[in-house]
């Protein structure tokens, strides 16, 4: 009986077009939009050297030449003025510098953009440092050698993040997967509604049958769990293999977290469906409110909320299933140890068991005051 | 005869409203038992209590000699229910729906397949087994609803207003199907507010009003309970006041009026008077045309017992 009911419910879920859209198509579309939006951000994050040309560099001296090369900002070519003008007009370089003396430069650019601003900032900084050096040497000629060395030595303009954990946008994809896990709560609620005789005639038909309604419920909720887990896998696979978002090396851990998240989500929905003794719309409304509130507290809508909760009420993050899923992903990505990850998975599993137990005690032998 | 359903002093209240007021029913095996009453009279509430779907305040329900409860699975196994609203899953096909609901009663796949095929043949949905419910017409949908309720071959079948919003042809098919199920041995409980249907198929009828059984018996027994009898209409060319007064003296005649060329005669109780009326007309040389006889209906019974009609 269990397998027959499971099969029918699974078929129904596969054929339910609106449910399929919200649980699968919507996250796929959203992840694609994230990908398109964040790929530009990543491009900005990855600094590419600015191509510049320098004419008459001998007039500026070795100090300027060394400062240019040691900055790490530029790909420098030395050439005459005419050649530099030609390259700029053809768009092969972002700008060229005409050196007049050690402290006098002219910058030529074709547009005023991010790269051009960097060249200007560098020249301003060099001029300012050179003037300071001149003053120091004038007042203390003995320090001349040290000051010249200081001017030409490497100055850090770009700060490289540690490799591996550098892509902050991956967090948004984790949040998206957490959202998919929590969407499963609607299936949990819906499966409870399908066995409550006061909610639909189909449910009344199930209630008048000799099958134990909790067995029917177990088969239906298992179908919903497997369905939702597969949906989460598809979304995760799409993000990893199609959008090529790096999840690190722990794919199996991600799947385990997804399973725990789906289990907690489905049982949360089932519990709310069982506890709210009102029509279907009210149950769904209550469920959406609860999951949205949890999502808000976990920082899905306002990033800083996560830190506010961590600072002021850290315990709240441990009873919020959305936070647990998100934090589980964060811990996989940021920490080298799995302590926090396994703690979150365990709490999610315990929550799922607790929610299921509450659902069981509310539903068993339930009669209705009105139908 | 073996009692299949026994309801004693059943009381169901919704706050101040008494939906069932000390309801008593006894339904014997092999009957088509009609629960007749206007909307809101308590028919569906009584059925829901009977099926342990609704909690009730007082009373006792026994089915097949055992007390009914939500966990009385051995009783539930022998009951089939055809709900007023179509109760099927939109995402499953006709075959899958019947198989699913039959599967709640019959776990053996081979046996179930046979039962599902028989149910499909019974309701005539053989050409539509791969259709989803949304593709079916209203009549076919009703047939699917019936198939889902009876596929497991129950001994007691409850039809809760199965013909609401059904076209006349489908209605006749449903009523014929119910008679066939009964002839195959099933006890039927049929609730309706259509008295013609109840009269047509039920062997015994309980009339409900405000949650109480106001009368119970065969349709003949129910009609005998009221003073109103047969109503005879005779088209005549004319009749004098004197002849009309004389007509009132015929045994069994309760009243007689003449208007628009027609004499309307009301008979008392069971009196069959058409022969006497014809004899009177002949004896008094009153020329007559068409004669029509109208027997009292269950609506007349309801009217006399409650002072209102079904539509009030």
């Amino acid at each position: 009986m269990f397998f027959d009911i499971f099969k029918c419910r699974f078929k129904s879920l596969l054929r339910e077009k609106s449910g399929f859209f919200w649980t699968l198509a919507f996250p796929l579309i959203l992840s694609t939009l994230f990908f398109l939006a964040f790929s530009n951000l990543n491009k900005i994050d990855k600094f590419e050297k600015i191509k510049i040309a320098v004419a008459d560099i001998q007039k500026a001296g070795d100090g300027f030449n060394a400062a240019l090369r040691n900055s790490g900002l530029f790909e420098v070519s030395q050439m005459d003025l005419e050649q530099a003008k030609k390259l700029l007009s053809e768009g092969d370089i972002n700008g060229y510098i005409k050196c007049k003396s050690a402290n006098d430069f002219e910058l030529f650019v074709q547009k005023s953009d991010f790269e051009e601003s960097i060249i200007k900032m560098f020249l301003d900084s060099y001029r300012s440092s050179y003037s300071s050096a001149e003053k120091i040497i004038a007042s203390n000629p003995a320090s001349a050698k040290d000051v010249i060395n200081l001017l030409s030595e490497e100055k850090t303009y770009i700060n490289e993040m540690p490799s591996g954990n550098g892509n902050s946008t991956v967090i948004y994809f984790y949040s998206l997967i957490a959202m998919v896990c929590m969407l499963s709560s609607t299936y949990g609620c819906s499966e409870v509604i399908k066995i409550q005789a006061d909610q639909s005639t189909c449910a009344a038909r199930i209630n008048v049958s000799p099958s134990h309604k909790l067995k029917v419920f177990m088969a239906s909720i298992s179908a919903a769990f497997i369905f939702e887990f597969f949906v989460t896998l598809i979304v995760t696979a799409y993000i990893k293999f199609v959008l090529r978002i790096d999840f690190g090396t722990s794919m199996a851990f991600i799947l385990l977290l997804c399973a725990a998240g789906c289990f907690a989500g489905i049982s949360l929905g089932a519990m709310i469906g069982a506890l709210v003794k009102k029509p279907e719309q009210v149950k769904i409304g209550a469920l959406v409110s609860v999951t949205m509130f949890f999502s808000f507290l976990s920082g899905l809508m306002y990033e800083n909320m996560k830190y506010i909760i961590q600072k002021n009420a850290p315990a709240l993050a441990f009873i919020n299933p959305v936070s647990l899923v998100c934090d589980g992903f964060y811990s996989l990505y940021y920490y080298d140890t799995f302590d926090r990850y396994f703690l979150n998975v365990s709490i999610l599993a315990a929550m799922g068991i607790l929610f299921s137990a509450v659902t069981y005690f509310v539903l068993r032998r339930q009669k209705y005051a009105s139908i | 005869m073996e009692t299949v359903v026994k309801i004693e002093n059943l009381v169901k209240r919704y706050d101040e409203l008494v939906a069932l007021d000390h309801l008593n029913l006894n339904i014997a095996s092999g009957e088509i038992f009609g629960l007749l009453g206007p909307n809101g009279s308590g028919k569906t509430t009584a059925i829901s209590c009977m099926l342990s779907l609704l909690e009730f305040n007082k009373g006792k329900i026994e089915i097949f000699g055992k007390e009914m409860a939500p966990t009385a699975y051995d009783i539930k196994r022998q009951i089939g229910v055809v709900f007023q609203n179509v109760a099927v899953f939109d995402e499953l096909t006709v075959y899958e729906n019947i198989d699913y609901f039959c599967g709640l009663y019959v776990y053996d796949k081979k046996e179930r397949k046979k039962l599902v095929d028989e149910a499909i043949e019974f309701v005539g949905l053989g050409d539509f087994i791969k259709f989803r419910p949304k593709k079916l017409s209203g009549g076919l949908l009703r047939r699917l609803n019936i198939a889902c309720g009876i596929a497991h071959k129950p001994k007691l079948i409850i039809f809760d207003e199965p013909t609401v919003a059904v076209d006349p042809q489908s209605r006749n098919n449903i009523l014929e199907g119910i008679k066939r199920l009964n002839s195959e041995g099933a006890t039927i409980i049929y609730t309706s507010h259509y008295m013609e249907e109840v009269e047509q198929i039920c062997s015994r009828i309980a009339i409900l009003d405000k949650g109480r059984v106001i009368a119970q018996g065969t349709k003949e027994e129910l009609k005998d309970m009221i003073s109103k009898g047969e109503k005879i209409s005779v088209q005549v060319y004319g009749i004098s006041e004197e002849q009309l007064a004389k007509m009132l003296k015929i045994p069994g005649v309760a009243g007689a009026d003449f208007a628009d060329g027609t004499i309307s005669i009301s008979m008392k109780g069971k009196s069959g008077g058409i022969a006497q009326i014809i004899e009177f007309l002949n004896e008094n040389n009153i020329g007559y045309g068409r004669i029509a006889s109208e027997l009292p209906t269950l609506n007349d019974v309801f009217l006399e017992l409650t002072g209102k009609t079904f539509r009030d």
Side-chain angles (χ1 to χ4, degrees), chain A residues 1-16 191 194 206 216 219-221 223-224 227, chain B residues 89-104 109 112:
Chain A
M1 182 195 85
F2 182 91
F3 184 69
D4 291 332
I5 295 170
F6 177 91
K7 201 171 73 178
C8 275
R9 287 303 308 140
F10 197 78
K11 265 188 206 169
S12 297
L13 292 168
L14 282 176
R15 292 173 187 171
E16 222 172 79
E191 292 308 325
K194 284 191 170 69
I206 289 168
V216 177
S220 309
I221 205 94
F227 172 79
Chain B
F89 290 113
D90 287 339
E91 301 80 22
L92 298 179
T93 63
V94 164
Y95 188 93
E96 288 164 345
N97 262 299
I98 302 170
D99 186 53
Y100 177 85
F101 288 112
C102 188
L104 298 173
K109 272 191 181 176
R112 191 164 78 231

Side-chain angles (χ1 to χ4, degrees), chain B residues 18-72:
Chain B
V18 182
L20 295 176
D21 187 2
H22 296 89
L23 185 85
N24 288 289
L25 284 177
N26 271 296
I27 300 168
S29 173
E31 279 190 316
I32 300 183
F33 189 87
L35 270 181
L36 179 67
N39 291 327
S41 59
K43 303 182 296 291
T44 302
T45 304
I47 296 295
S48 299
C49 289
M50 214 185 286
L51 293 167
S52 264
L53 289 174
L54 270 183
E55 0 181 75
F56 46 86
N57 304 88
K58 198 180 148 190
K60 194 179 171 188
I61 299 171
E62 279 183 8
I63 299 178
F64 296 115
K66 293 176 186 169
E67 192 163 349
M68 186 58 178
T71 52

Side-chain angles (χ1 to χ4, degrees), chain A residues 1 4-5 8 11-12 15-16 197 201-202 204-212 367-371, chain B residues 12 14 53-55 70 73 76 81 83 85 87-88 91-92 96 100-101 104-105 107 109 112 132 145 149:
Chain A
M1 182 195 85
D4 291 332
I5 295 170
C8 275
K11 265 188 206 169
S12 297
R15 292 173 187 171
E16 222 172 79
T201 327
C202 268
R205 209 193 265 291
I206 289 168
N207 275 260
V208 300
S209 79
S211 294
H212 198 297
K367 275 197 190 178
Y368 304 92
S370 63
I371 288 182
Chain B
K12 169 68 187 169
Y14 294 107
L53 289 174
L54 270 183
E55 0 181 75
Y73 299 127
K76 286 182 169 185
V81 189
F83 290 98
N85 296 323
V88 293
E91 301 80 22
L92 298 179
E96 288 164 345
Y100 177 85
F101 288 112
L104 298 173
Y105 296 80
Y107 305 147
K109 272 191 181 176
R112 191 164 78 231
R132 302 253 188 104
N145 194 37

Side-chain angles (χ1 to χ4, degrees), chain A residues 3 75 124 213:
Chain A
F3 184 69
E75 192 182 312
D124 290 345
K213 79 176 165 190

